Amino acid sequence: MGAGKKVKNVAKTTKGKVKETTGKAVGNKGLEVEGRGEQAMGDAKQTAQKAKDTLKH
């Protein structure tokens, strides 16, 4: 996996976790859901990139 893409995907997942936790802490369901969505996107992109890398080798 390209290092730059890996960092971006992990950062997106981490950002999503922070948003979800913040949303839970302040009682903001919208922020909580948005955070879960970002986590899912980051995880999906990581999985797709790993699959691409596996097929290259």
Side-chain angles (χ1 to χ4, degrees), residues 1-15 38 41-43 45-46:
M1 179 181 304
K5 288 183 180 181
K6 182 177 182 179
V7 170
K8 284 174 85 174
N9 295 335
V10 170
K12 188 163 203 78
T13 301
T14 303
K15 182 180 170 187
E38 283 190 24
M41 279 197 298
D43 290 341
K45 285 184 179 186
Q46 284 180 40

Side-chain angles (χ1 to χ4, degrees), residues 10-41:
V10 170
K12 188 163 203 78
T13 301
T14 303
K15 182 180 170 187
K17 287 179 184 179
V18 170
K19 279 186 177 182
E20 180 183 9
T21 303
T22 303
K24 283 181 182 178
V26 298
N28 184 334
K29 288 287 184 188
L31 188 59
E32 192 176 332
V33 170
E34 185 179 334
R36 279 194 221 123
E38 283 190 24
Q39 286 180 66
M41 279 197 298

